[in-house]
Amino acid sequence: MTTNQLNDQETDPITGVRSYGIKVLLVDDQRIIAEAVRRDLAEADDIEFHYCSDPTKAIKQAAELKPTLILQDLVMPEIDGLMMLRFYRVAPETAKIPIIVLSTKEEPETKSEAFALGANDYLVKLPDKIELIARIRYHSQSYINQLQRDEAFRALQESQKQLAEANQALQKLSSLDGLTGIANRRRFDEFLEAEWRRGLRQAQPLSVIILDIDFFKLYNDHYGHQQGDDCLKQVAATLAGTATREGDLVARYGGEEFTVVLPETEAEGAWAVAEELRTGVQEQKIPHAQSKVSEYVSISVGTATLVPTQDSKPAEIVALADKALYLAKQEGRNRVMGHG
């Protein structure tokens, strides 16, 4: 039996909080009591009334209905009201729903036990209509407020999670080169600074590789900028697929220049990686008709290794690697030169 059918409103798109109507579930085996309560609540347009005469079905009905308050008769056949209180409070669906006990008993001991078992209020039936409605509204609104606070908190947590994910995605995008998809110059500078400080703390060597595509301007002039971009992408993919050790960074340094940072790597190890990069690009066999050193796209590579000290800066290792790259070009390109 229901009256004043009120549907919950939709979730607020801004706060993520729903609006709730007051729903009352009366559990009482006496239909005459149910009819009396129904009449009392009929004038309250904000209260939706439901009735259950079978206590064995009350938990299931409450779980489906999701009332904002349960009116529970104390004296019932099969399962008394005190036992029902125990059931309500252990069932997850009803554990927090406010309960008003309705009883003909006024003994303090009975009231005390009811409250000890989780009752929120106790009324001798049948109470005055005005008092009944007032107590229903009071307990229901307190429960609704708690539901809305919980929803607002969950919505805030979800919003914060989405914001963190968005910031993380934005941070990732801001650290990637738009053309090649590998790390950009900004990410290289940040990573080198961090690894320099770590190398300083741990007294570990740090290696940097700088490489340049040989005669790339001639490649662009001959094949066009679109194919030039494709060439950069393919070289970047080759570099990233070669320097795969966890903790290393491959980045586009600018134009046709790329760099690799190798933490905790000695000069010999850096030279070996650099040679792998050079041969890896060569083996891609990207045609380069205008190259003066190979029929395919090739790279010149410079390496540098330092153990960071208090008196040195990251720019020094970059300058040394750049100097080694210059020597590689001077020596004929398509080769590796190292410093350190």
Side-chain angles (χ1 to χ4, degrees), residues 182-184 236 239-244 248-252 258-261 277:
I182 63 175
N184 59 17
L239 301 179
T242 303
T244 57
D248 296 345
L249 179 77
V250 178
R252 186 181 180 192
F258 297 86
T259 184
V260 182
V261 182
L277 297 174

Side-chain angles (χ1 to χ4, degrees), residues 278-290:
R278 188 193 68 80
T279 57
V281 171
Q282 189 78 18
E283 289 171 358
Q284 294 301 308
K285 294 186 178 181
I286 305 170
H288 191 346
Q290 300 300 308

Side-chain angles (χ1 to χ4, degrees), residues 160-171:
Q160 290 173 334
K161 178 184 176 183
Q162 292 175 355
L163 179 60
E165 290 173 349
N167 286 336
Q168 188 176 13
L170 182 61
Q171 180 66 27

Side-chain angles (χ1 to χ4, degrees), residues 222-278:
H222 182 74
Y223 294 101
H225 289 286
Q226 180 60 57
Q227 199 159 331
D229 286 349
D230 292 340
C231 176
L232 289 172
K233 293 177 185 178
Q234 193 167 346
V235 169
T238 302
L239 301 179
T242 303
T244 57
R245 188 184 67 166
E246 185 177 359
D248 296 345
L249 179 77
V250 178
R252 186 181 180 192
Y253 197 62
E256 67 271 22
E257 282 191 313
F258 297 86
T259 184
V260 182
V261 182
L262 305 169
E264 300 180 23
T265 303
E266 300 282 358
E268 294 82 0
W271 195 94
V273 171
E275 181 61 21
E276 283 186 53
L277 297 174
R278 188 193 68 80

Side-chain angles (χ1 to χ4, degrees), residues 21 69 72 116 122 167 231 293 308-309 313-314 334:
L69 183 131
Q72 176 62 54
Y122 192 106
N167 286 336
C231 176
V293 293
T309 64
K313 296 181 178 179
N334 193 20

Side-chain angles (χ1 to χ4, degrees), residues 77-136:
E78 299 183 36
I79 306 175
D80 68 22
L82 295 178
M83 183 61 71
M84 288 299 300
L85 285 173
R86 292 187 177 92
F87 290 157
Y88 289 135
R89 290 311 178 220
V90 298
E93 302 88 351
T94 56
K96 296 182 180 180
I97 297 176
I99 300 171
I100 297 178
V101 170
L102 292 177
S103 176
T104 57
K105 298 182 179 181
E106 297 190 65
E107 294 84 355
E109 294 79 6
T110 303
K111 293 181 180 180
S112 177
E113 186 175 3
F115 284 117
L117 292 173
N120 298 82
D121 209 339
Y122 192 106
L123 290 173
V124 176
K125 63 180 181 182
L126 279 171
D128 178 79
K129 176 177 67 175
I130 295 176
E131 180 181 5
L132 177 62
I133 292 174
R135 291 183 187 241
I136 287 173

